[in-house]
């Protein structure tokens, strides 16, 4: 029996529930084909690991995912009464859970196996359209740590961007995790658009453990008092990314 991830709280999810097996398999394959990272959570979200879908076997009703780093972490996943999963596909949150995970292997590599979910939540809950930024040529955000002098700066890579804010990967954990903290005069160099200066407020933080065992911190940041000119620049850049993505999907680039 499926249940909803703990992050959804008391929100009424029935309108967002997907029960069609064909659609669920298509969504799982979409996560696999796009190599999307998925959060794997136990202990009411206290422990979070990052995984990816390796295979979707509808004949044997199995979903194969990368295992967590370390044997003890994998054992906790297997012994957990329920494991929750959440990933993004085309800016839509895909959420499901499992109460039975097993060890397996793929081409001699350890992995985890679970049944294809019988239902899941497909949830659009963002105010702004958000698009992933390129991994091959990461966009950097320069953030002044000393807000008075602006002498000491830190460069952090963007994960995604919208007209409402950005997500950052703070692998050195330089910014901390204080919700509500504001960083002023941050500079983002948008390719083919130019450098924009924005004020950022931390709205969410999530400590992650990557597949290589290293820790990372994802920060969700909101733009504060964004000017119309900067907003227009962000919109142009998002449209540029969208055109490039569509052209790639169509095989034109």
């Amino acid at each position: 029996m499926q249940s909803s991830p703990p992050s959804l709280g008391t929100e009424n999810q029935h309108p967002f529930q997907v029960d069609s097996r064909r659609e669920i398999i298509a969504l799982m394959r979409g996560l696999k084909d796009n190599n999307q990272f998925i959060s794997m959570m136990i202990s009411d979200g206290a422990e979070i690991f990052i995984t990816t879908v390796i295979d979707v076997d509808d004949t044997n009703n199995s979903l194969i995912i990368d295992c967590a780093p370390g044997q003890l972490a994998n054992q906790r996943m297997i012994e957990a009464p329920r494991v929750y999963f959440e990933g993004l596909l085309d800016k839509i949150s895909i959420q499901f859970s499992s109460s039975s995970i097993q060890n397996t292997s793929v081409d001699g590599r350890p992995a985890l196996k679970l049944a294809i979910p019988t239902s899941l939540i497909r949830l659009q809950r963002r105010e702004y359209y958000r698009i992933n930024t390129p991994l091959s040529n990461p966009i950097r955000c320069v953030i002044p740590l000393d807000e008075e002098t602006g002498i000491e700066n830190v460069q952090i890579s963007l994960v995604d961007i919208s007209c409402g804010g950005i997500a950052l990967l703070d692998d050195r954990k330089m910014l901390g995790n204080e919700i509500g903290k504001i960083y002023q005069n941050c500079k983002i160099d948008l390719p083919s658009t130019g450098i924009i200066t924005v004020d950022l407020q931390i709205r969410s933080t999530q400590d992650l453990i990557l597949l290589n065992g290293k820790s990372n911190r994802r920060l969700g940041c909101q733009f504060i008092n964004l000017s119309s000119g900067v907003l227009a620049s962000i919109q142009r850049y998002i449209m540029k990314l969208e055109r490039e993505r569509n052209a790639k999907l169509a095989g034109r680039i």
Side-chain angles (χ1 to χ4, degrees), residues 35-58:
N35 197 31
Q36 292 295 305
F37 289 127
I38 301 174
S39 297
M40 185 164 49
M41 298 167 279
I42 59 175
S43 305
D44 293 325
E47 292 186 83
I48 303 176
F49 300 93
I50 301 301
T51 187
T52 56
V53 177
I54 299 175
D55 188 36
V56 182
D57 185 351
D58 58 330

Side-chain angles (χ1 to χ4, degrees), residues 8 43 86 130 139 159 194 207 249:
L8 291 182
S43 305
E86 180 173 1
R130 187 175 295 268
I139 298 173
V159 178
D207 288 341
L249 291 173

Side-chain angles (χ1 to χ4, degrees), residues 137-142 155-158 168 187-190:
N137 188 22
I139 298 173
R140 308 290 184 185
C141 179
V142 179
Q155 289 192 24
I156 300 182
S157 298
L158 269 68
L168 301 168
K187 298 187 182 301
I188 305 173
D189 190 359
L190 299 178

